[in-house]
Amino acid sequence: MTAAVSVAVVLGLTLGCGGGRTGHEGDGKSASGSAGGRAPEEAAGAAGAVGPKKADEDGPTGRLRRAELEKTEVPGLVIEEAPPGTAGRGTPGSDQPACLPLANALGSEPDPKPLGSVVSTFAGAGEDDDLEGLLGTIRVSEYRPGEAAAVFRRLRDAAGACTGGFRMRTGEGESQVFDAVETVAAPKLGDEAAAFRLSNAVEEAPSLITVVRTGDVLSMFFATGLGDPERVQIPDRLVSAQVRKAVAVQRGGTGEDGDDAEGAGTEEG
């Protein structure tokens, strides 16, 4: 996904991340090459070996890996590193230029290209009926000064211009048709936040997007569901947990519990 969020894509994603993490017993990390392990940044759309995340890597991606949520960190959800190929490949397109930012958001190659990015998947787990069938991805990206704000603005403007829907072509040439785009209530987090609901003209399940900007970092969440389309959601506790860790890392912390993200624009609503 991350983010083509049609049901077909998400089904493939689910099959790809069925294994749990192994190795590094007790710390929630994996040293295996299975889909359940932690992968490099290129796992969002490039082939390659899957290995453990390295918190001491230099550069934006190394910092962002410290902000990745662990497997059971958010109650009711299972969170994994996105396996290779999850996001697909190539550059998406749209029949309406004004809607291209939404198509880009749903693709594997954000425009503009971020300095660094990490991608995870999440799925509903446990006995929470509201999360039954929920599938999604998280992409946390760091941009050059001013670019994150520009990307956010373009997404918001595209949602406003494309309420009647749009056609998009994935990087692999697959056609996607959305017959409506709705701006919905967003969590009160970060410097600015927005949320959108895209109705797929073919699939019954909607595609949800939530984006939170904190400085030059965008935390983007994509979700769909295999159950009741009216109950599909991106849980607020997931968004707040991810944004809190992203802010802690921006402030020079490790992203672990106890880092102080207060005062960094992450008021939870």
Side-chain angles (χ1 to χ4, degrees), residues 12 41 84 94 104 111 119 157 171 180 187 199 241:
E41 173 198 358
S94 174
N104 281 333
D111 181 23
V119 183
D157 292 348
S199 298

Side-chain angles (χ1 to χ4, degrees), residues 29 60 70 81 95 100 122 157-158 166 179 191 200 211 236:
K29 301 178 181 63
E70 296 295 340
E81 178 71 17
D95 65 332
L100 190 56
F122 62 89
D157 292 348
F166 65 98
D179 54 18
D191 296 312
N200 195 302
V211 54
D236 286 346

Side-chain angles (χ1 to χ4, degrees), residues 239-258:
V239 180
S240 61
Q242 180 61 83
V243 171
R244 183 166 56 246
K245 292 191 81 167
V247 169
V249 168
Q250 285 177 273
R251 292 169 61 91
T254 64
E256 301 296 330
D257 290 342

